[in-house]
C-alpha cells in the first residue's frame, strides 16, 4: 500500500454485523413488542433476506452501488432473480408462483 493511502475499507461481512446505535431504529416488532401486522412469514422473509445480503459478493456489490450510485452488477441481478427478489418487486400475483424454488427458497 501507498504510505499516505487511507486505511482499508472494512469488508462487507464486517459492515453487516454492525447494529444501529440509534434508539428504536429497528421496528418495535423486532424489539419484542407485539404487532398484529407481522406474522411468521414476515420473520422468515426477514431472516432469508439478511442471509442473502450476508453473502460477501452481494454485500460488496451493494456497498459499491451506494458509493458509485450505479445499479447492481449483472451477476448480482441474476442471483436476485433466482432468489425471487425481482418478482417480489412486482407485487402479488401469479408470477410469484413461477419462481423456481419459491421466494428466497421458501
Amino acid at each position: 500500500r501507498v504510505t499516505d493511502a487511507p486505511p482499508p475499507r472494512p469488508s462487507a461481512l464486517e459492515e453487516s454485523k454492525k447494529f444501529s446505535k440509534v434508539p428504536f431504529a429497528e421496528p418495535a416488532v423486532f424489539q419484542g413488542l407485539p404487532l398484529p401486522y407481522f406474522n411468521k412469514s414476515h420473520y422468515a422473509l426477514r431472516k432469508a433476506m439478511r442471509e442473502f445480503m450476508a453473502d460477501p459478493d452481494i454485500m460488496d456489490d451493494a456497498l459499491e452501488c451506494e458509493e458509485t450510485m450505479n445499479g447492481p452488477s449483472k451477476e448480482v441481478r441474476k442471483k436476485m432473480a433466482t432468489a425471487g427478489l425481482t418478482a417480489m418487486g412486482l407485487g402479488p400475483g401469479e408470477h410469484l408462483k413461477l419462481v423456481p424454488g419459491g421466494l428466497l427458497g421458501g
Side-chain angles (χ1 to χ4, degrees):
R1 291 189 53 90
V2 180
T3 56
D4 63 342
R9 193 172 83 183
S11 74
L13 194 55
E14 290 169 358
E15 285 292 319
S16 69
K17 291 180 180 177
K18 293 181 182 174
F19 290 98
S20 174
K21 292 182 172 76
V22 177
F24 305 105
E26 293 282 336
V29 68
F30 299 128
Q31 296 179 30
L33 300 172
L35 191 65
Y37 307 110
F38 284 85
N39 57 35
K40 289 181 183 181
S41 67
H42 290 95
Y43 292 109
L45 177 62
R46 178 178 178 245
K47 182 178 183 231
M49 192 65 200
R50 286 187 175 197
E51 288 171 1
F52 180 82
M53 290 303 297
D55 177 337
D57 294 333
I58 303 288
M59 184 59 83
D60 286 338
D61 194 72
L63 294 172
E64 184 179 323
C65 289
E66 279 193 28
E67 228 173 72
T68 62
M69 305 278 292
N70 291 327
S73 67
K74 187 175 184 178
E75 295 79 28
V76 169
R77 283 183 283 172
K78 283 183 180 180
K79 287 182 180 182
M80 290 170 67
T82 302
L85 298 177
T86 310
M88 285 173 40
L90 300 173
E94 292 295 312
H95 59 279
L96 294 177
K97 296 176 183 170
L98 303 174
V99 177
L103 299 176
L104 291 169

